Amino acid sequence: MMMRRVFSATVVAAGTVIGLQAALWSSTVLAQSNSRIYRSPGSSRQTAQPSGSGGRVGQQAPLALEGYCPVSIAVQRKWVRGDPAYWSVYDGHTYLFATPEAKATFDADPARYVPALGGECVVTFVKTGRRVAGQIRYAAIHEGRLFLFASDEAQQMFLAEPARYAKADLAYGGYCVVCQVGMGKAVPGKPEIAVVHKGLRYLFASEDQRRQFLANPSRYEVKASVPGVAVPGSGSRTPPAGSSSKPTAGSESKAR
């Protein structure tokens, strides 16, 4: 007997909440947002650069978004199944795409399209410091970014107070860690120059700093997993999520 589960994904854009309903079967998905049926792909983290297209989907990197195309979600606001012929690996996950054009769009700027915190629940992260996987049935798009939540309760908490959680994955409070470590300067990073590493989003002042990070991420990466108390490689404290405070060179804190 074919089992049916109904879930909703909420889109939050420009202050407007729009409900998207979808009915999920074992082998098909009906997305009511565009009234088309998408066949499920076959069953199936390289950090800095996306890779691969055509042939078999990599077996060692977990499938992200249950095979849905991240570009379709971000650009079209539609849950469209990806085609296993078009795939990339980014930050340890395999992403499938609906078209080769969607894959090329993703590969040009993957940090723009991957879900916040690598698909883990930002609400759980902020409240407990734990990294817990989110689910596509509990999803929201806020300021152009996709967020997945561990439960309906977590989703509702985010929708009620998005400013508290939306920057939970932002490393170093959005300041350029390469500038901090290399020059001892607190320089704000640019959202359009970003890398997602182990689920955290790093912003850089220029493409040169981004390249330096990619060449040696272990030198710069956050060393703890609790928002607001992470210790960078230079010993600087990460400002709390959403904080505008500048990182202070030489200060340290331990994860609680």
Side-chain angles (χ1 to χ4, degrees), residues 163-164 167-168 170-175 228 238-247:
R164 180 180 178 185
K167 296 183 180 179
L170 187 60
Y172 303 106
Y175 284 84
T238 299
S243 171
S244 60
S245 301
K246 296 180 181 180

Side-chain angles (χ1 to χ4, degrees), residues 103-121:
K103 172 182 161 49
T105 297
F106 178 92
D107 288 350
D109 188 11
R112 178 178 177 181
Y113 299 101
V114 297
L117 200 62
E120 295 168 330
C121 179

Side-chain angles (χ1 to χ4, degrees), residues 74 87 97 129 153 165 172 207 224 227 248:
W87 59 275
F97 307 99
E153 180 184 8
Y165 305 106
Y172 303 106
E207 285 292 343
T248 302

Side-chain angles (χ1 to χ4, degrees), residues 7 25 37 80 89 91 102 106 111 114 123 126 136 140 156 159 164 168-169 171 184 195 201 209 215 234 238 251:
F7 69 92
W25 286 269
I37 295 177
V80 180
V89 174
D91 197 30
F106 178 92
V114 297
V123 173
V126 168
I136 64 170
Q156 296 308 313
L159 295 177
R164 180 180 178 185
D169 65 334
V195 166
R201 188 164 49 109
Q209 276 88 35
S234 65
T238 299
S251 63

Side-chain angles (χ1 to χ4, degrees), residues 85-225:
Y86 312 118
W87 59 275
S88 292
V89 174
Y90 183 76
D91 197 30
H93 289 85
T94 299
Y95 291 87
L96 304 185
F97 307 99
T99 65
E101 292 78 15
K103 172 182 161 49
T105 297
F106 178 92
D107 288 350
D109 188 11
R112 178 178 177 181
Y113 299 101
V114 297
L117 200 62
E120 295 168 330
C121 179
V122 293
V123 173
T124 302
F125 186 49
V126 168
K127 297 182 73 66
T128 70
R130 295 187 297 117
R131 304 283 292 264
V132 176
Q135 303 180 51
I136 64 170
R137 63 179 52 81
Y138 307 122
I141 292 179
H142 176 69
E143 296 183 347
R145 303 183 65 220
L146 175 65
F147 294 81
L148 305 181
F149 308 98
S151 65
D152 177 69
E153 180 184 8
Q155 182 191 49
Q156 296 308 313
M157 291 177 69
F158 179 91
L159 295 177
E161 197 177 3
R164 180 180 178 185
Y165 305 106
K167 296 183 180 179
D169 65 334
L170 187 60
Y172 303 106
Y175 284 84
C176 174
V177 62
V178 176
C179 298
Q180 171 69 23
V181 173
M183 300 182 294
K185 295 181 179 180
V187 180
K190 300 177 180 179
E192 65 271 21
I193 308 176
V195 166
V196 174
H197 176 68
K198 296 182 179 178
L200 299 183
R201 188 164 49 109
Y202 295 78
L203 307 184
F204 305 96
S206 71
E207 285 292 343
D208 182 60
Q209 276 88 35
R210 190 180 79 93
R211 285 191 292 268
Q212 290 182 55
F213 180 93
L214 293 177
N216 188 9
S218 62
R219 180 185 180 191
Y220 305 106
E221 67 183 9
V222 169
K223 302 301 182 184
S225 60

